[in-house]
Every structure is written in structure tokens, then in C-alpha cells.
């Protein structure tokens, strides 16, 4: 039954562990869309268990244990077209750049609320999007959500002017879904 599964939504399953994700990666060979939003205990080990899959749409929003290591490994096959990684505090320039380099079909990248992301990312993305070898991806078809990151408005305007990419500065992350959220302090 699982061999033909193409879409799996496991949002906010706090009991979700890496071993289950590895089993999904081993069983669901046709899986194209996976949403793990709010599965707080999923780490790089679980994500690496998906390395052989052909995922096109992945949502790892609020998965605080996922780092550059896991995201780089899961994107090496180059099939991702959409990645939502809202408030993934461990993602940095290294991992996000690798995503865009490894996945030439990537059309949407949502990094809302990722505090490890700053202006240097836009310079790297500009280099990748304007690279002649990467011309099969039109930057005008690329959507980037960077609200709630450390990226400045000035850097964003320069990036859009050079690449013609679609960029949103709206923060789509929801602070109350972050594990470190303190409602009394109203900060993360």
C-alpha cells in the first residue's frame, strides 16, 4: 500500500520520530509531497532517510533539529521544486545555497522566520540564478519568502532589480509554533 503513496501530511505530529521517517523513505518510493510542519523531534537523521526519494514538495517548517547537513543530503538528488522551512533556526547560508544549487527545478523557497539567514544569501542566490549554466531556471519564475530573517530591505531591492525574482518580505512564520516561543516575553 505505501509503495504507491505520493502525498503524506504529518503536520504537528509531536510523536513523530526519525525512525518513522526513515521507514517512510524506505517504503514510499513514489512519495512526491511530504509535510512535516511542527514535527519538532525530526532531525537530520530522519531527513537523511529520505535521500533516495524523489520529493518535489517538502515542508519542514518549525523542525528545529534540522540543520544544513540534513537539508543538503535530502536535496542532492535535485528533485525539489518547493521547500517550506519556516522558522528553521539551524538553517544557514551553506544549506540554503546548496538547496538552490542542487535543485535546478526549485521554484519556491520559504525561509520566513529563519534567523540564521542574512544578506549574504541574496548575493549567493543572485550568482546561482544568473549563472549561464543554470539558465534553464528563469529567475522570474523563482519565488523567495524571506520575511522575519536578517535580510534587509535594501539588499532585497538590489536582488530583485538584478534577478527579477519574486520576493516577499512578509513573515509567514507563526511564532507560537516555535518550540522556544515564550508568550509572556513575546520573543523567541
Amino acid at each position: 500500500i505505501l509503495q504507491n503513496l505520493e502525498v503524506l501530511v504529518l503536520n504537528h505530529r509531536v510523536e513523530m520520530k526519525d525512525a518513522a521517517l526513515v521507514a517512510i523513505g524506505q517504503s514510499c518510493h513514489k512519495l512526491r509531497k511530504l509535510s512535516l510542519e511542527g514535527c519538532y523531534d525530526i532531525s537530520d537523521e530522519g531527513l537523511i532517510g529520505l535521500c533516495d526519494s524523489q520529493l518535489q514538495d517538502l515542508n519542514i517548517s518549525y523542525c528545529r533539529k534540522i540543520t544544513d547537513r540534513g537539508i543538503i543530503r535530502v536535496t542532492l538528488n535535485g528533485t525539489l521544486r518547493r521547500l517550506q522551512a519556516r522558522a528553521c533556526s539551524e538553517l544557514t547560508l551553506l544549506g540554503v545555497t546548496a538547496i538552490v544549487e542542487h535543485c535546478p527545478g526549485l521554484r519556491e523557497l520559504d525561509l520566513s522566520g529563519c534567523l540564521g539567514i542574512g544578506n549574504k544569501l541574496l548575493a549567493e542566490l543572485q550568482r546561482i540564478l544568473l549563472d549561464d549554466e543554470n539558465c534553464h531556471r528563469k529567475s522570474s519564475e523563482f519565488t523567495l519568502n524571506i520575511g522575519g530573517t536578517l535580510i534587509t530591505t535594501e539588499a532585497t531591492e538590489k536582488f530583485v532589480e538584478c534577478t527579477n525574482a519574486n520576493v516577499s518580505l512578509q513573515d509567514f512564520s507563526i511564532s507560537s509554533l516555535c518550540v522556544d516561543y515564550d508568550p509572556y516575553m513575546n520573543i523567541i
Side-chain angles (χ1 to χ4, degrees):
I1 296 174
L2 293 179
Q3 292 175 332
N4 294 320
L5 189 66
E6 292 184 21
V7 177
L8 183 58
V9 177
L10 298 169
N11 293 348
H12 307 286
R13 302 278 188 232
V14 293
E15 69 279 359
M16 196 56 192
K17 304 290 184 214
D18 288 333
L21 201 53
V22 170
I24 289 167
Q26 293 170 345
S27 305
C28 304
H29 303 289
K30 294 184 179 180
L31 192 62
R32 299 293 176 257
K33 181 177 181 175
L34 177 63
S35 185
L36 300 168
E37 179 176 306
C39 295
Y40 302 121
D41 284 334
I42 295 297
S43 73
D44 291 339
E45 300 313 312
L47 210 54
I48 289 169
L50 299 169
C51 282
D52 294 331
S53 69
Q54 299 296 308
L55 284 175
Q56 295 176 3
D57 189 327
L58 178 62
N59 184 346
I60 56 168
S61 296
Y62 314 104
C63 294
R64 65 167 192 245
K65 294 181 180 179
I66 293 176
T67 70
D68 293 337
R69 179 177 158 261
I71 202 65
I72 290 170
R73 289 286 305 276
V74 83
T75 60
L76 284 176
N77 65 16
T79 58
L80 272 186
R81 295 181 53 78
R82 181 175 185 260
L83 176 66
Q84 276 188 291
R86 295 176 183 168
C88 288
S89 57
E90 298 300 316
L91 288 185
T92 68
L93 173 68
L94 178 70
V96 177
T97 302
I99 294 164
V100 180
E101 286 179 329
H102 294 151
C103 300
L106 189 71
R107 295 294 179 258
E108 183 180 340
L109 180 58
D110 187 346
L111 301 171
S112 299
C114 291
L115 298 176
I117 304 299
N119 288 343
K120 288 183 180 179
L121 173 67
L122 294 183
E124 285 299 307
L125 291 182
Q126 181 176 327
R127 178 188 60 78
I128 295 166
L129 290 173
L130 299 178
D131 184 1
D132 287 341
E133 293 179 16
N134 217 1
C135 63
H136 50 277
R137 174 182 21 218
K138 296 178 181 170
S139 57
S140 62
E141 296 173 355
F142 183 71
T143 300
L144 179 63
N145 299 321
I146 52 173
T149 66
L150 300 177
I151 297 174
T152 64
T153 303
E154 181 181 280
T156 303
E157 289 170 353
K158 181 180 175 187
F159 175 74
V160 170
E161 183 180 308
C162 292
T163 64
N164 202 29
N166 300 305
V167 179
S168 172
L169 290 173
Q170 184 172 349
D171 186 354
F172 294 106
S173 67
I174 302 169
S175 58
S176 63
L177 292 179
C178 299
V179 173
D180 300 332
Y181 176 71
D182 183 346
Y184 299 105
M185 296 297 290
N186 200 25
I187 59 172
I188 295 176

